Amino acid sequence: MSAVRARAAVVAAREVAARHPRHVLLAGLVAGLLAGPRSPAALLGALVIVAALAPRAALALGAAAAVLAGAAIADARLAANDRTALRPLIGAELAVRATLLEQPRLRAFGTRVAAARLLSGPGRGERVVLRTPLRVRWPADPAPGIELRVRGALARLGPFDAAEHRRGAHAVLRVASLAATGGRRGGILGALDAVRARTERALTSGVPPPQGALARGMVLGQDAALTEDTRQDFRATGLSHLVAASGANVALLATLALAAGAALGLGLTGRLLLTIGLIAAYVPLAGGGASIQRAGVMGAAALVAALAGRPASRWYALLLAAAVTLALNPRAAEDPGWQLSFAAVVALLVLVPSLTARLRRAGLPRGLADATALTAAATIGTAPLIALHFERLSLVSLPANVLAAPAVAAVMWLGTIAGALGQLAPGLAAPVASVMAMALGYLTWLADRGAAFPYAQLAVPAPAPLTVVLLYVAGGLALLAWRRRSAAPRPGRRRGAVAVLAAVAVALLLAAAHSAGPPHDLTVSFLDIGQGDATLVQHGGATVLVDTGPPAGRLLAQLRRSGVRRIDVLVLTHNQADHVGAAPEALGAMPVGLILDGEEAGAVALAARYRVRRLASDAGQVIHVGPIELSVLWPHRRPAAAPGTDPNDRATVLHVRDGDFDLLLTADAESPVTMALDLPAVEAIKVAHHGSDDPGLPGFLARVRPHVAVISVGAHNSYGHPTPATLAALRAVPIVRRTDRDGTVRISVRGGRMAVGSDR
C-alpha cells in the first residue's frame, strides 16, 4: 500500500471515529485491557494507535485515558486472581472439602481431572484442579455443584494446566481418595445446578447414549461424555464448534424465546425482557466459557438497544463483549476459544453481506446462500488461528457445516423445548428428545462420513503468532483493495488487482516461510513409508526419529513436511531393511546428533561414514532430548546374542515420555519379549511387527492399557499384515489407526489433551 493510500486509510478511519466517539473510547478500554498485562511496549503502541485515530484532541485524550484505565483494571484483576494462600503449601498433604465445578474429564494420561473450589482449609474459596488416577473411584453422578471430601497432595500447576491457570486455578490437588458428602452448593448457582441436572435428564431420556452425549454437548456445552472417535470426526470435519456452546446457541435461543413470547401474547418489551433473562441464565448454565460469554454480552446488548428504541451496533456490541470478558479475566485473550470466537464474529461482520449478495445473484436460494456465506466467512476468519492452535485444517468444513445447518437449529430448538419441559413436566420431554435424536443421528453420520474422505483434514505446522497477525493484516488489505477495485474506474481497478495479488502473495510467502517449522507442542508422527517403521517424535526444537523405513519409503519428503531440519537422536532398532533401509538417506540429507542402534555392523559403518556419535542400545539407558525422555527397555547387551538369534527378538524397545504422556515403541519385538519386561501404563503404542500374529497381544494390552494403538504397515503387503487375530485383540483399544489406510498418523498433545489425526 502506497503512502498516499495509507494516509487515505487513516483519514477514513478518523472520519469513522468522528461519527462514533463511543466506539473509540470503548476500543481504547479494550486495547488497554489487552496490552496492559503484557508489556510496556504493547501499552505504548496501543496509546499511540488509539490516540492517532481520534479526530479531535478531546477524543484523543479520552481514548488515551481509556487505554490507561483498561491497563489499570487488567493489572488489578490479575493481582486479585493470582492472590493465593496455597503457594506455601505446595507438596503438603491436605484433607479438605470442595465443590465440584465441572464434570471430570478423562485425560490422555491415565487420569481424570476436574476443577473444584475449596470449601475448607487455608485456601478456602480458591479454585484448584483435582487430578485422580483411574484407581480412584468418583461418585456415580459427579455433577457440578456436589460437595466432595478430598484427600491428596498439593502440587504446582503443570505445563498441561495452562487452560485452568487462565480460568483462575492456583494449584493441582493430586487426589488419593475422594467421596461425596451428600451436600450441594446453594444460592443462584445451586438453583442453576438443579436446572442443569433436569435439563440433562430431559435431553438424554430415551435417547441412545451417543446421541445423548452429543445433545449435552450441543445444548449445554458439556462434551465430557463424547467418545474420542466422535470428537475426532467432528474435529476432522470442522464441526467441533457445535459441541461448545457459542454464539449460534445464543442466537437460536433468542429466536426461539422471541417467537415463544409472541405466541404467549407478550408485547415487544415483555419479549425482549424474557429473552434477556433467558440469555443471562443460559450463559452460566452452558459453562460460562469465553465464547458463550462473548455471545451473551453481544446478544444482551442488541436486545437492550432494541428496548431503548435505538439501532443496535454490532461493532459496539463486539467491543463491549471484549471489554466485559477481559475485565472479568484479562487472561481470557490467551484462550483459543476467545480468539476463535472474536475472529469468527469479525469475519461474519466484514464478509457475510457481500458474500450473501453475490451468492444470491448467482442464483442460490436465500437460505442456502445465507448458510454458505456464514460458513465460508467463519472458515476464512478462523483458519489462521486453527492452524496456530491445533495444527490442523479441515478441507471438508464448508460443505459439512452447510449440510449441518438445518439439523443444528433443530437440535438447539428441540433441546431447549425438551429442557424447559424437563423443569415442569418431565414426562413430556421424552417425545421431544426422541425427535431431536434423529437430527443428532444425522449430525453423527455426517461427521463420520465427512471424516472418512481422503485428506478430510490436513496437518499443518503451526505458524508463529506474528505470522498469524501478518496473515490477518494481509487479508484485510486484500479485502480493502478488492472493495476499492469494485468501486473504481478501470485504471483504479488495475491498481486494486495489483494490490490484491500483492497482499495474497505476501500472505502465501509468510505462510510458506514458516511452514517448514517444527510443531511447538509434542507431536508423534507414525510416518506413511510403506511396509516398514518410521516414528518421528518432536517437541519444539527437539527431534527423535525411531527407524527410517525401507529405501523407497519417501522418508525425506515426510521429514521435510514435518519441519525436520536436524535429527537429535536417530534410533535404529534392528538391522532389517524395512526399519533401517533409508538411514543413509537421512544421514546424508541432514545433521544427526546421535545414533542409538542395536550394535549392528551396518549401523557402526554408517556412524563412521557420516561421522556421527554412536551408542549401542542397552536396557536401563535413559537419554534426554529437550523435554523428551527415551528409556531403553530392551535388549540387554550382556550376554551377547547367540548366533542365529532372530533380529526381531533383539530389537530395541523404547519407552518415550514427555511430561505426563507415555509412548511404547516395540519395533518388531512381540509379546514373548515384551511381556518379560517391566512395562509402564502408556497412552499410546506402536503395534509390534506391523500387526503380525501375536497370541500374547491381549495380555500385553491389558498390562499397558493404551488409549491409542498405531499399526505401521504397507498397503496390500504380501505378509497379510495386520492379521485378523491382531485386529480382533485391538478392539480393546479405544483408538486404532493404521498407516496403510490412514496415511501418516499424528498424535499431538496440547494443554493436557491428546488429539489423533491423519493425512487421509
Side-chain angles (χ1 to χ4, degrees):
M1 183 178 271
S2 67
V4 173
R5 293 194 178 191
R7 284 193 294 272
V10 172
V11 169
R14 288 166 66 90
E15 290 174 353
V16 172
R19 293 195 300 270
H20 302 284
R22 292 184 305 135
H23 291 59
V24 176
L25 296 177
L26 193 52
L29 182 66
V30 171
L33 288 165
L34 282 170
R38 282 153 184 88
S39 73
L43 181 60
L44 179 61
L47 281 168
V48 171
I49 292 172
V50 172
L53 292 178
R56 298 185 299 274
L59 186 57
L61 187 61
V67 171
L68 295 175
I73 292 171
D75 285 340
R77 289 294 299 161
L78 286 177
N81 291 347
D82 292 343
R83 194 175 297 119
T84 175
L86 296 176
R87 192 171 294 113
L89 300 176
I90 297 297
E93 293 283 338
L94 297 181
V96 295
R97 290 182 300 111
T99 298
L100 188 65
L101 300 180
E102 62 187 16
Q103 290 188 318
R105 292 173 174 270
L106 180 63
R107 273 195 179 170
F109 310 126
T111 59
R112 285 188 175 90
V113 297
R117 195 168 302 282
L118 297 180
L119 296 175
S120 64
R124 181 178 180 180
E126 295 192 30
R127 184 184 180 110
V128 297
V129 179
L130 302 181
R131 179 170 294 148
T132 65
L134 295 181
R135 60 179 174 77
V136 173
R137 297 180 64 86
W138 281 80
D141 182 22
I146 66 170
E147 184 180 304
L148 300 171
R149 185 175 292 108
V150 185
R151 183 177 58 82
L154 204 64
R156 288 184 174 84
L157 294 169
F160 298 125
D161 299 314
E164 283 299 331
H165 175 60
R166 289 194 295 267
R167 297 170 67 185
H170 293 143
V172 173
L173 189 56
R174 299 184 182 275
V175 178
S177 66
L178 61 77
T181 66
R184 304 186 65 92
R185 64 182 170 186
I188 295 177
L189 292 178
L192 285 173
D193 290 338
V195 171
R196 184 187 299 109
R198 290 191 290 267
T199 303
E200 288 179 5
R201 288 193 294 270
L203 292 174
T204 58
S205 176
V207 175
Q211 280 75 42
L214 184 56
R216 288 169 58 185
M218 292 185 64
V219 178
L220 295 174
Q222 297 179 3
D223 63 346
L226 291 173
T227 66
E228 189 60 34
D229 278 343
T230 300
R231 292 179 196 276
Q232 297 291 348
D233 289 345
F234 273 70
R235 188 178 295 120
T237 50
L239 297 173
S240 56
H241 63 94
L242 298 182
V243 293
S246 61
N249 298 60
V250 172
L252 292 170
L253 174 66
T255 302
L256 181 63
L258 291 170
L264 293 172
L266 296 178
L268 177 61
T269 300
R271 295 199 302 270
L272 293 174
L273 289 174
L274 171 66
T275 306
I276 291 172
L278 287 175
I279 290 174
Y282 181 68
V283 170
L285 195 68
S291 178
I292 196 69
Q293 283 183 5
R294 189 274 311 157
V297 173
M298 289 191 69
L303 293 167
V304 169
L307 276 173
R310 301 182 60 175
S313 168
R314 294 180 179 179
W315 287 104
Y316 187 81
L318 183 67
L319 289 169
L320 182 63
V324 171
T325 55
L326 291 171
L328 290 172
N329 180 9
R331 290 195 177 97
E334 301 168 14
D335 181 73
W338 190 94
Q339 297 171 14
L340 289 167
S341 178
F342 280 89
V345 173
V346 170
L348 296 180
L349 295 179
V350 172
L351 298 176
V352 164
S354 58
L355 283 175
T356 303
R358 285 176 173 266
L359 291 172
R360 288 181 186 174
R361 285 199 299 270
L364 263 68
R366 178 172 181 172
L368 181 58
D370 291 347
T372 303
L374 287 167
T375 302
T379 301
I380 294 168
T382 58
L385 284 170
I386 289 175
L388 172 66
H389 291 296
F390 307 110
E391 301 180 6
R392 295 285 186 276
L393 287 178
S394 173
L395 300 186
V396 298
S397 176
L398 179 59
N401 276 278
V402 171
L403 292 172
V408 173
V411 169
M412 187 60 196
W413 287 335
L414 291 171
T416 301
I417 294 170
L421 291 173
Q423 314 302 314
L424 305 171
L428 299 178
V432 178
S434 298
V435 177
M436 178 186 62
M438 292 189 288
L440 292 165
Y442 165 72
L443 289 173
T444 304
W445 172 85
L446 179 64
D448 177 69
R449 291 298 84 205
F453 273 92
Y455 301 101
Q457 64 173 342
L458 292 180
V460 295
L466 179 59
T467 303
V468 172
V469 173
L470 292 174
L471 283 171
Y472 279 116
V473 171
L477 291 175
L479 180 64
L480 177 63
W482 174 74
R483 286 182 171 176
R484 286 175 175 272
R485 179 179 62 85
S486 300
R490 189 166 300 275
R493 290 184 179 184
R494 291 178 181 174
R495 290 194 295 271
V498 171
V500 170
L501 291 174
V504 172
V506 168
L508 292 175
L509 286 172
L510 287 169
H514 190 79
S515 65
H520 298 305
D521 297 290
L522 173 63
T523 302
V524 181
S525 303
F526 301 87
L527 302 179
D528 178 18
I529 41 75
Q531 181 69 11
D533 270 13
T535 304
L536 179 66
V537 184
Q538 298 168 280
H539 194 163
T543 302
V544 176
L545 178 63
V546 182
D547 285 333
T548 64
R554 309 180 306 281
L555 174 71
L556 294 182
Q558 296 270 12
L559 293 179
R560 291 191 180 106
R561 283 186 60 194
S562 299
V564 177
R565 292 295 177 264
R566 169 187 167 82
I567 300 171
D568 295 294
V569 177
L570 173 61
V571 182
L572 304 176
T573 60
H574 61 299
N575 192 23
Q576 289 186 334
D578 61 336
H579 287 256
V580 301
E585 296 178 38
L587 287 161
M590 60 189 62
V592 175
L594 172 70
I595 293 177
L596 179 70
D597 73 86
E599 207 170 12
E600 303 286 351
V604 174
L606 280 174
R609 177 181 174 186
Y610 291 99
R611 299 181 180 179
V612 177
R613 187 165 67 93
R614 186 192 140 272
L615 181 66
S617 58
D618 195 4
Q621 291 169 331
V622 178
I623 299 172
H624 289 91
V625 186
I628 304 168
E629 179 183 280
L630 307 176
S631 298
V632 179
L633 305 182
W634 181 259
H636 292 283
R637 289 300 163 198
R638 297 293 180 268
T645 300
D646 186 345
N648 292 345
D649 292 341
R650 299 288 289 175
T652 300
V653 177
L654 287 176
H655 171 207
V656 181
R657 170 175 288 167
D658 190 321
D660 291 327
F661 176 82
D662 294 272
L663 165 71
L664 198 59
L665 299 176
T666 55
D668 284 350
E670 296 176 295
S671 59
V673 171
T674 55
M675 288 296 280
L677 305 177
D678 183 15
L679 298 174
V682 299
E683 280 64 57
I685 62 168
K686 185 200 74 68
V687 178
H689 203 184
H690 321 294
S692 65
D693 266 332
D694 184 0
L697 181 59
F700 170 79
L701 295 174
R703 281 186 62 185
V704 300
R705 304 192 304 276
H707 192 71
V708 181
V710 180
I711 308 171
S712 186
V713 62
H716 311 297
N717 64 85
S718 60
Y719 305 98
H721 296 160
T723 65
T726 292
L727 294 175
L730 289 171
R731 289 177 190 150
V733 181
I735 300 176
V736 178
R737 297 288 186 266
R738 33 193 290 194
T739 58
D740 60 335
R741 294 183 178 179
D742 300 311
T744 292
V745 177
R746 288 185 175 85
I747 300 174
S748 56
V749 180
R750 177 187 290 267
R753 294 189 179 185
M754 180 172 68
V756 183
S758 63
D759 285 350
R760 296 182 190 167

